[in-house]
Amino acid sequence: MSTIATTTDAAAVRALFEANSRAWGDTEAFARTFTEDADYVTFFGGRMTGRHAIAEGHRGLFEGVLKGSRLYAEIEDLAFPAPGIALVHSRGAVLKGKRTRPSARALSVQTYVMTRGADGRWLIRAFQNTRHRPRVEAFSNWLADRFGPRGR
């Protein structure tokens, strides 16, 4: 974490992250954790722009296939690249039934950009969700090592 942020900022960002996870399944509460002009990119590449689109994009899921599901989410890294801006990298997954931990195949790598508004409240401005594929990552790293500038 950079020195630009205060302890209060870090606590507020962590609280927002947790509130977003707890709100999963409640369309309106979930959407309220985002700015009015937020960008949301799903793990399969779909994009929703704006709080209203995020709500509507999740409503059918929360009432259908994801009804009763929960989020598993943990922050891996938190940084403040500029005043009023937080960058969060996390791992997360949707949990169904009695599961308390996700399977390796269900894990996603997520990036959040959170902003502090003029009212001092932190909200999510952008979210990117990418399914984690350890074998593909290992192969990509092998290619980079072998054929990248260091491997020549």
Side-chain angles (χ1 to χ4, degrees):
M1 184 167 52
S2 74
T3 57
I4 294 172
T6 67
T7 303
T8 304
D9 286 333
V13 165
R14 288 181 184 281
L16 172 59
F17 180 84
E18 291 169 13
N20 176 260
S21 295
R22 280 192 315 275
W24 184 259
D26 180 334
T27 303
E28 300 309 318
F30 184 73
R32 280 192 303 269
T33 63
F34 294 86
T35 62
E36 287 291 338
D37 60 347
D39 282 304
Y40 188 109
V41 179
T42 68
F43 76 89
F44 59 83
R47 182 175 177 211
M48 295 173 244
T49 304
R51 182 184 289 162
H52 178 75
I54 293 168
E56 292 310 306
H58 285 83
R59 187 176 312 283
L61 295 171
F62 291 161
E63 293 172 1
V65 68
L66 295 180
K67 186 172 186 163
S69 66
R70 300 158 327 282
L71 278 188
Y72 167 85
E74 62 182 9
I75 292 175
E76 290 193 325
D77 188 52
L78 169 59
F80 292 86
I85 298 175
L87 178 62
V88 176
H89 287 99
S90 68
R91 297 238 182 228
V94 173
L95 300 175
K96 295 181 181 179
K98 295 180 181 181
R99 271 195 163 304
T100 58
R101 302 272 304 169
S103 68
R105 291 196 46 78
L107 264 180
S108 289
V109 176
Q110 300 156 335
T111 303
Y112 294 78
V113 176
M114 299 178 180
T115 57
R116 185 180 55 225
D119 62 358
R121 195 171 82 138
W122 285 89
L123 291 171
I124 301 165
R125 173 57 181 87
F127 173 77
Q128 166 77 44
N129 189 22
T130 304
R131 185 69 78 208
H132 184 238
R133 295 288 182 242
R135 289 184 190 149
V136 174
E137 180 181 23
F139 181 66
S140 177
N141 290 338
W142 178 82
L143 286 173
D145 287 344
R146 178 151 176 135
F147 299 107
R150 293 178 290 155
R152 288 188 196 151

